[in-house]
Amino acid sequence: MALNESDPGDPDPAGTGPGPGRVEYLSATVDRIAKILVVGAFGTGKTTLVGAVSEIRALHTEETMSEASTGVDDLAGLDHKTTTTVALDFGRITLNDQLVLYLFGTPGQRRFWDMWAGLAQGVAGVLVLVDARRLTDSFEVLGQLEEHGLEPFAVAVNQFPDSPDHPPEALRAALDLLPETPLVYCDARDRASTINALKVLIRHALARATSPTSLTAPGRSQLP
């Protein structure tokens, strides 16, 4: 089924929230799914975001950081980070009775970016997570989107406790975003905040849709 102009709506109308360890089956009313890629530089909070928003037990492929990463992974401003994603994060969120998002989080380190091409197949949109304390780390990530032709995308600024208070226009200028590219603030630990960022992305994708294959019935999914 094609993308339509309906509002993504309020997620989780029953108010049940995430259910770790509980099997959640798709409702029979679901007839549209979207594959969303969550990207960002190392340590921007992608794993946290997927885990916070997922209504099923999120899949994480985290490994403890070892001495081999010393001098390779920049831990400036990330004093408490001890693990890193080495393959992907996966979660699912039902936005309304008809629309479900499958979230695929990518590793942040450049040495893992070769797998982006596979993960990006069939995506309806990309959420770019940015750490305002380390904006320059996001320049290459945005360059990767252009290299792989990944669009539409929206930028979500993850607000850490010590994040600088940059106004949106300053962030847009620093990241060289087009006027139509959505930019929102979020807290990757907070489910409601993260869902709002995803809804902004979906609305942008709906507005940009030119192909009937971005959202499909479950039986005809673009998911790998």
Side-chain angles (χ1 to χ4, degrees):
M1 298 185 67
L3 281 161
N4 60 38
E5 296 300 328
S6 62
D7 186 359
D10 291 326
D12 193 23
T16 54
R22 185 176 66 217
V23 176
E24 294 282 355
Y25 297 98
L26 287 180
S27 168
T29 62
V30 171
D31 60 6
R32 296 176 181 86
I33 64 173
K35 179 181 179 181
I36 302 297
L37 205 62
V38 181
V39 306
F42 175 63
T44 54
K46 301 177 294 297
T47 297
T48 299
L49 184 149
V50 173
V53 77
S54 182
E55 65 196 8
I56 60 174
R57 184 186 292 276
L59 168 67
H60 299 301
T61 56
E62 287 193 298
E63 295 292 341
T64 301
M65 299 181 68
S66 66
E67 292 183 4
S69 66
T70 303
V72 177
D73 297 328
D74 184 4
L75 290 172
L78 303 172
D79 298 339
H80 302 294
K81 186 169 180 61
T82 59
T83 61
T84 186
T85 299
V86 296
L88 60 85
D89 299 306
F90 174 77
R92 190 189 79 199
I93 175 66
T94 301
L95 284 189
N96 61 27
D97 289 341
Q98 288 138 343
L99 176 60
V100 165
L101 306 183
Y102 288 98
L103 308 178
F104 289 77
T106 62
Q109 295 98 319
R110 184 175 180 80
R111 61 183 181 275
F112 295 127
W113 286 0
D114 287 346
M115 66 180 66
W116 278 34
L119 289 175
Q121 292 181 9
V123 297
V126 182
L127 187 68
V128 184
L129 203 58
V130 168
D131 182 350
R133 304 169 303 175
R134 300 179 294 123
L135 280 180
T136 56
D137 292 352
S138 298
F139 295 165
E140 281 192 308
V141 172
L142 292 169
Q144 279 288 105
L145 296 186
E146 183 175 354
E147 180 178 330
H148 288 285
L150 291 175
E151 57 179 14
F153 68 88
V155 173
V157 182
N158 190 11
Q159 294 182 290
F160 291 86
D162 58 343
S163 291
D165 189 18
H166 294 310
E169 57 272 19
L171 288 172
R172 284 185 168 280
L175 297 171
D176 195 24
L177 300 180
L178 294 175
E180 61 268 25
T181 301
L183 184 145
V184 296
Y185 294 85
C186 75
D187 182 341
R189 302 166 300 178
D190 180 71
R191 191 167 190 259
S193 173
T194 297
I195 288 173
N196 178 67
L198 290 169
K199 290 171 70 174
V200 168
L201 170 61
I202 288 296
R203 290 192 180 103
H204 180 53
L206 288 169
R208 289 282 308 275
T210 58
S211 168
T213 59
S214 292
L215 294 185
T216 66
R220 299 187 295 277
S221 170
Q222 293 288 309
L223 295 174

